[in-house]
Amino acid sequence: MWSGPRNLSTAMMRSFGARSDCHVVDEPFYAAYLAESGIDHPMRAESMASQPMDWRQAADALDAPTPHREPLQYEKHMTHHMRTSFGIDWIDDVTNAFLIRTPERVLASYAKKREAVTLADIGFVEQAQLFDRVADRLGTAPPVVDAEDIRRDPKALLTALCAALAIPFDPAMLSWEAGPRATDGVWGAHWYGAVERSTGFAPPDETLPSLPDDLREIADQARPLYKRLWAARLTA
């Protein structure tokens, strides 16, 4: 699942993690991204110590057997973690789906966790590039789901997503126990507070948040990319 930050991505990981037949992997290229980019993120040192810092090792680890021989593996990927120096041929051997969210909501949420925000921080450019690569290879659009559609009708959208992924829908995906998970990245201590308090998908906010001028400019840059993927989204 290719997402940007603050996209409902951890809640979606919780949803798939609630399935008894699914192992989840949390942002496996995060340490490699931090090491290659030099960017200063919260809990940078702890995150880099917790994962391979070589993207090749991170990609190879995704091929390992699941811990309990689960037949499914859900990988939560941040699109901006895939630096241009990282190889991405491995994505041709997995099923790729895309989780999108309107840029205003992404930016309003992201700005609560980091003071400085740029377009490069929220992954819209890379998400569109990855979508195009997968669509070109398949000859059709891969599955796309919008975060607000999921929040509005989780059962219908997750059923549609599972059908597009050729896996059965499991009602267990609609709720989960509160708290952290052993499969969460160590950075969850900073980023995952709301998800750790959750037990399911919260209803959507129907009103877009207002943004200061600097964030509104970034939203304007991201919106055409979001709209392009939105046009291919799954509907109930």
Side-chain angles (χ1 to χ4, degrees):
M1 182 64 77
W2 293 102
S3 173
R6 321 311 290 173
N7 262 30
L8 206 74
S9 58
T10 309
M12 284 288 285
M13 183 173 69
R14 285 287 188 273
S15 177
F16 276 83
R19 300 176 61 116
S20 62
D21 62 352
C22 188
H23 171 62
V24 300
V25 180
D26 192 10
E27 301 183 25
F29 291 93
Y30 191 24
Y33 162 76
L34 291 172
E36 203 276 345
S37 68
I39 194 167
D40 185 18
H41 270 197
M43 301 189 68
R44 172 183 164 87
E46 296 90 337
S47 300
M48 291 175 66
S50 72
Q51 291 180 322
M53 288 186 284
D54 186 319
W55 70 264
R56 298 168 189 83
Q57 294 178 23
D60 288 345
L62 295 175
D63 274 339
T66 54
H68 302 289
R69 301 295 176 176
E70 298 93 339
L72 300 178
Q73 178 162 282
Y74 181 91
E75 299 168 8
K76 172 193 168 194
H77 291 293
M78 294 289 104
T79 58
H80 61 293
H81 288 177
M82 303 311 296
R83 303 284 291 178
T84 56
S85 60
F86 293 2
I88 57 171
D89 287 348
W90 61 271
I91 75 170
D92 296 340
D93 297 323
V94 300
T95 301
N96 297 276
F98 293 79
L99 176 64
I100 62 173
R101 195 181 193 191
T102 182
E104 288 83 0
R105 299 189 197 282
V106 171
L107 287 161
S109 179
Y110 193 92
K112 294 177 183 178
K113 295 293 184 178
R114 288 190 73 207
E115 292 183 7
V117 188
T118 68
L119 181 64
D121 290 320
I122 56 175
F124 281 79
V125 172
E126 294 85 353
Q127 189 173 48
Q129 291 170 343
L130 286 161
F131 175 85
D132 289 343
R133 177 194 168 103
V134 176
D136 287 346
R137 179 173 60 83
L138 296 177
T140 188
V144 179
V145 284
D146 188 284
E148 299 311 303
D149 290 338
I150 294 170
R151 294 177 67 185
R152 193 170 292 113
D153 194 342
K155 183 177 181 180
L157 265 295
L158 289 171
T159 298
L161 175 59
C162 288
L165 298 174
I167 61 175
F169 168 71
D170 186 338
M173 299 174 73
L174 298 175
S175 62
W176 51 83
E177 293 185 3
R181 301 289 188 274
T183 48
D184 290 349
V186 297
W187 52 87
H190 177 82
W191 295 97
Y192 294 176
V195 170
E196 289 179 1
R197 294 188 295 272
S198 73
T199 56
F201 292 103
D205 300 318
E206 299 296 348
T207 303
L208 284 178
S210 59
L211 299 174
D213 289 346
D214 58 333
L215 295 185
R216 192 164 57 248
E217 181 177 342
I218 298 171
D220 289 343
Q221 294 171 335
R223 192 174 300 105
L225 301 167
Y226 163 75
K227 284 291 190 182
R228 188 151 63 81
L229 271 67
W230 184 88
R233 80 197 189 286
L234 298 172
T235 56

